Amino acid sequence: MAEKRKYKKRFCKYCEAKVDFIDYKDAASLKYSLSERYKIMPRRLTGNCKRHQEMVTIAIKRARAAAIVPYTVTRKVVVANPFENLR
Ligand SMILES: [Zn+2]
């Protein structure tokens, strides 16, 4: 059965761009590997290779410590499940 997914392509975006170093200060590029609740996306969804996924993980953790990327988001900011608000 064909399943429609949000992330279809299975190639490493960083390999394609030939990135050797991911800067933790570059929040815009880190956001690609973050979910809408600012969790780190697993490799099976982003399609990153192992090497770049580790680099992204380290960069995001550094960015969190430097308060560039938030650790968590409150429910007011993200309405991921609209049925939750009915309660
Ligand atoms: Zn890669």
Side-chain angles (χ1 to χ4, degrees):
M1 266 185 40
E3 199 181 316
K4 207 176 182 186
R5 285 188 189 171
K6 197 177 170 188
Y7 299 91
K8 259 184 188 174
K9 289 174 187 176
R10 298 293 231 114
F11 63 86
C12 178
K13 179 180 99 112
Y14 299 100
C15 280
E16 201 188 39
K18 289 182 180 166
V19 177
D20 289 322
F21 173 74
I22 296 165
D23 192 3
Y24 73 92
K25 283 167 274 178
D26 191 2
S29 71
L30 293 179
K31 263 184 186 166
Y32 175 78
S33 298
L34 289 167
S35 74
E36 59 209 343
R37 288 184 186 232
Y38 288 94
K39 289 161 93 177
I40 300 170
M41 295 290 279
R43 205 150 63 85
R44 65 190 147 85
L45 294 184
T46 56
N48 290 348
C49 67
K50 193 186 175 193
R51 202 176 123 246
H52 280 114
Q53 179 68 21
E54 279 172 3
M55 284 162 74
V56 166
T57 308
I58 290 165
I60 288 169
K61 283 175 181 173
R62 274 186 193 156
R64 278 176 180 168
I68 295 163
V69 170
Y71 280 95
T72 50
V73 181
T74 54
R75 244 170 77 175
K76 279 182 184 173
V77 179
V78 184
V79 184
N81 189 355
F83 298 105
E84 277 181 28
N85 295 332
L86 293 174
R87 264 178 256 163

